[in-house]
Amino acid sequence: MSDTLAAAVAEADHVMRHWQYDAEGPVKIGSDSHKRMFCRMLLESHNPYKPAVIEWPKLPPDALRRLTALPIWDIAVQTEGRASIRVATYAATIEDPLLREALVMDGDEEARHKVVLSRLVEAYGIELAPEPPYPPPKDPEWAWMKTGFSECIDSFVAFGLFRSAQRSGYFPEALVETFEPVIQEEARHILFFANWVAWYRRTLPFWKRPWFYARVAAVWATLIWDRMAIARGIDTDGVARDANFPATGTADIGESLKPRDLIALCLEEDARRMAGYDKRLLRPTFVPKLARLALRFMKA
């Protein structure tokens, strides 16, 4: 890599993790300024890395065996395939130019995650089951919300597991670093989604808000059911259940941590990955609050 290219990559990586809104003063949740803030955060912190030029590191035999033995590649590829079409379909329903542009960016990045995974399995000779079709969802808003809340759950866990994988040395550092931009993109996605939820809720007429709350509750119930299905495996038709890639991709590669230590690490990493963004942006709070509540009842 040339010095010029290396400097450009380093600059893009820095911007991806540090972003400040150029308007001064408080930002009212639900306002046009709030919308501009979280949309511009996503657009301006985009890292233009290209999966096609990723140099996959050569792995020693033991690391290659561990990678190819992980039973997560089918579900990871299929999840990213569904996420990209869901976000893109919802984006097509939005009239606001700035919000639509940000949603298109989000969907493109989900599609790029799928390309990264496809390149990885090709590079290391991992065989995948035939992919199912990814039809556009009939209810774009429901599909967008399901994807967003799913990422809020799974990315929180993935942050801690990914850090644990780095510390354990389960895979070579070069391979871990290759996936680092994907993990940080997930942080940006859930930050964007959490602010969209708050903004959208505030812009709804009061008589529409109960229906929105009911849909949110239904999404959470569906996600709990889906995660129970993940524990049972993949459907007989070969379609993998929803699970965010980083969570499935790191579930078996971290240290042997006690549950309390793992939850604490997830909280620490969640805070670290969110720390570089403007403090006026709302952070996803539901899963971290559940994690802190769980810690109160767990022995050290």
Side-chain angles (χ1 to χ4, degrees):
M1 182 182 298
S2 67
D3 291 343
T4 301
L5 180 57
V9 170
E11 175 63 19
D13 186 74
H14 176 81
V15 173
M16 187 184 191
R17 301 164 196 279
H18 303 85
W19 184 87
Q20 297 295 313
Y21 190 33
D22 57 13
E24 297 182 357
V27 176
K28 183 180 179 181
I29 302 303
S31 66
D32 283 343
S33 184
H34 181 216
K35 179 192 66 180
R36 288 195 297 273
M37 180 171 61
F38 68 80
C39 288
R40 285 178 53 190
M41 179 280 297
L42 194 76
L43 293 167
E44 294 174 8
S45 63
H46 172 69
N47 187 329
Y49 71 85
K50 297 184 182 301
V53 299
I54 291 177
E55 295 183 7
W56 296 100
K58 185 176 181 179
L59 302 180
D62 57 338
L64 182 61
R65 284 194 299 271
R66 290 194 293 268
L67 181 74
T68 58
L70 287 173
I72 51 86
W73 301 115
D74 292 297
I75 191 172
V77 170
Q78 292 176 29
T79 296
E80 297 298 343
R82 280 194 297 274
S84 62
I85 191 62
R86 288 172 177 174
V87 179
T89 302
Y90 180 65
T93 70
I94 301 302
E95 295 183 0
D96 183 278
L98 180 61
L99 181 57
R100 183 173 62 247
E101 183 183 5
L103 285 162
V104 168
M105 172 73 75
D106 191 301
D108 288 346
E109 289 181 353
E110 297 288 3
R112 186 169 62 174
H113 293 176
K114 183 176 181 293
V115 175
V116 170
L117 288 168
S118 299
R119 298 283 182 177
L120 178 145
V121 297
E122 179 183 358
Y124 296 120
I126 300 171
E127 295 185 7
L128 298 180
E131 287 187 62
Y134 304 117
K138 296 180 180 179
D139 186 338
E141 183 182 275
W142 168 270
W144 157 241
M145 291 170 61
K146 186 177 180 183
T147 295
F149 283 119
S150 177
E151 289 190 334
C152 287
I153 299 170
D154 296 330
S155 293
F156 175 80
V157 178
F159 296 155
L161 288 171
F162 190 75
R163 177 59 175 157
S164 181
Q166 288 179 301
R167 297 193 313 197
S168 70
Y170 193 92
F171 291 134
E173 184 66 20
L175 183 60
V176 174
E177 289 181 357
T178 299
F179 278 104
E180 174 58 33
V182 176
I183 304 299
Q184 191 62 32
E185 276 184 352
E186 296 292 352
R188 291 168 54 258
H189 290 180
I190 64 176
L191 188 62
F192 174 79
F193 180 75
N195 282 270
W196 173 86
V197 170
W199 171 83
Y200 185 66
R201 181 176 62 241
R202 294 288 182 91
T203 60
L204 288 173
F206 75 92
W207 53 272
K208 286 187 176 182
R209 293 181 188 180
W211 173 243
F212 178 74
Y213 294 139
R215 282 170 70 84
V216 170
V219 168
W220 280 108
T222 301
L223 293 176
I224 292 171
W225 177 262
D226 284 350
R227 275 141 189 80
M228 293 172 62
I230 290 171
R232 295 195 300 267
I234 298 175
D235 289 344
T236 55
D237 61 1
V239 178
R241 301 284 187 169
D242 279 319
N244 181 260
F245 160 64
T248 56
T250 58
D252 297 323
I253 64 178
E255 303 161 299
S256 297
L257 296 175
K258 294 180 180 179
R260 194 180 196 286
D261 294 336
L262 178 57
I263 292 173
L265 182 59
C266 290
L267 284 166
E268 177 184 324
E269 285 298 298
D270 178 72
R272 182 180 69 84
R273 288 190 178 275
M274 297 293 174
Y277 301 100
D278 196 298
K279 302 302 182 184
R280 293 170 291 181
L281 287 164
L282 298 176
R283 269 54 174 174
T285 59
F286 183 70
V287 178
K289 284 181 179 178
L290 288 181
R292 293 188 186 95
L293 180 63
L295 286 180
R296 294 177 59 184
F297 295 95
M298 299 175 72
K299 295 180 180 180

